[in-house]
């Protein structure tokens, strides 16, 4: 799975629809992938989906495109 996620087309693997997510203090690409995509191993795909080459490129306030539909908060 990891090898495929590192080499394939991220938009094809994760889908064309996305929503914005603003990076917060303490966020990591692994943590965002786990929390919002359900699998930390999708971090590689998430980097490529956002045209980033390294996790160190994340910055507080940066807006990432998260594939899929945004989850609604519980009332």
């Amino acid at each position: 799975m990891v090898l495929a996620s590192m080499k394939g087309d991220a938009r094809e693997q994760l889908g064309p629809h996305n929503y914005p997510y603003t990076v917060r203090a303490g966020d990591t690409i692994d943590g965002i992938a786990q929390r919002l995509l359900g699998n930390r191993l999708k971090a590689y795909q998430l980097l490529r989906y956002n045209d980033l080459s390294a996790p160190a490129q994340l910055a507080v306030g940066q807006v990432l495109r998260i594939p899929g539909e945004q989850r609604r908060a519980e009332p």
Side-chain angles (χ1 to χ4, degrees):
M1 177 180 177
V2 174
L3 187 57
S5 72
M6 292 173 74
K7 293 189 175 197
D9 181 302
R11 284 179 183 82
E12 186 176 296
Q13 293 170 341
L14 298 175
H17 302 289
N18 60 73
Y19 62 93
Y21 173 79
T22 304
V23 176
R24 297 179 250 169
D27 274 346
T28 63
I29 198 71
D30 292 2
I32 293 169
Q34 178 65 48
R35 192 169 69 249
L36 301 178
L37 300 177
N39 187 334
R40 67 179 181 83
L41 297 177
K42 291 187 177 183
Y44 298 106
Q45 293 168 313
L46 189 56
L47 283 172
R48 287 194 339 281
Y49 198 89
N50 284 280
D51 300 318
L52 301 173
S53 60
Q57 290 182 304
L58 282 187
V60 173
Q62 179 179 8
V63 177
L64 298 177
R65 294 181 317 269
I66 305 298
E69 298 291 326
Q70 188 168 13
R71 297 178 190 159
R72 298 201 181 264
E74 295 292 323

